[in-house]
Amino acid sequence: PSDLRGAGENAKELNCTTAVIGIGQWPAGWPEEHPMDFTEYRNSMRDGLMNFTEAVSGKIRVVVRSVHENPLGNIISACPPKDWRNPEVIRIYNRILFEVCEDLSLRFIDTTAIISPLYDTGEDWCHYNNSVGLSEALHFARLLEHDTFFNGTGTDKSLSVERTSLVRMPLRP
């Protein structure tokens, strides 16, 4: 995740107004077969987010979402594990990511309350192309619709799902 400059340049070329960045699972052991330690994760995420924001030159709102937890499947719960994307490692990564966003004055949206209760519903246990993913997408759309959430600088802790009622919004086909 340390080099996101190309992603930032692509977002700018596509005339995006907002970029929601949701990365950070792979450092926990897949496909590298060993986890990135927490200090290296902090430095890598900081570098990547700095590269991205420099590439977009302030022309795009940058929002970072929490990393999704993975269920305890065969490779995660193996002994010894072959993948460390378990809930506890991801929770620590999210705490680090929140701190990095705070340091860089980037918005952080914690969607743990949407994803975690149903984290085993993704077809591949990682990607939520179902009602859980739709709930998360609607949450972002609602936040992005109300631009006041993104005025000013710094991380607004009120963007946490636990602190908003936006997740209670009814799902419509």
Side-chain angles (χ1 to χ4, degrees):
S2 63
D3 189 8
L4 296 176
R5 189 175 313 280
E9 291 168 358
N10 287 343
K12 205 162 65 172
E13 287 175 20
L14 293 170
N15 294 318
C16 295
T17 57
T18 303
V20 178
I21 299 174
I23 60 168
Q25 275 194 357
W26 281 19
W30 187 89
E32 297 298 321
E33 297 184 9
H34 61 83
M36 182 181 285
D37 72 50
F38 299 132
T39 301
E40 185 180 356
Y41 181 79
R42 177 184 308 278
N43 295 336
S44 182
M45 294 306 288
R46 176 185 302 283
D47 291 348
L49 293 171
M50 285 174 56
N51 288 336
F52 188 92
T53 56
E54 288 170 7
V56 300
S57 318
K59 294 179 177 14
I60 298 174
R61 293 183 298 187
V62 178
V63 180
V64 180
R65 75 150 169 82
S66 53
V67 179
H68 297 153
E69 297 174 359
N70 278 16
L72 299 173
N74 291 341
I75 61 172
I76 292 174
S77 60
C79 186
K82 297 175 182 150
D83 185 332
W84 290 262
R85 292 179 292 171
N86 66 64
E88 190 55 30
V89 169
I90 297 301
R91 287 179 196 135
I92 295 168
Y93 276 7
N94 277 328
R95 187 171 55 237
I96 292 168
L97 190 55
F98 173 82
E99 292 167 0
V100 167
C101 288
E102 205 166 39
D103 291 345
L104 298 177
S105 297
L106 294 175
R107 300 296 184 185
F108 180 83
I109 300 177
D110 185 359
T111 61
T112 302
I114 295 171
I115 300 296
S116 290
L118 299 167
Y119 73 160
D120 59 351
T121 62
E123 189 174 315
D124 63 356
W125 286 21
C126 297
H127 301 96
Y128 299 93
N129 302 323
N130 55 23
S131 61
V132 175
L134 179 60
S135 293
E136 184 181 51
L138 289 172
H139 179 67
F140 284 122
R142 191 70 181 266
L143 288 174
L144 296 171
E145 178 183 26
H146 300 289
D147 198 44
T148 56
F149 278 114
F150 300 98
N151 290 335
T153 60
T155 304
D156 184 347
K157 293 179 185 174
S158 68
L159 293 179
S160 169
V161 172
E162 294 85 356
R163 294 185 174 97
T164 67
S165 60
L166 299 175
V167 75
R168 293 185 193 78
M169 184 171 92
L171 294 177
R172 292 183 206 118

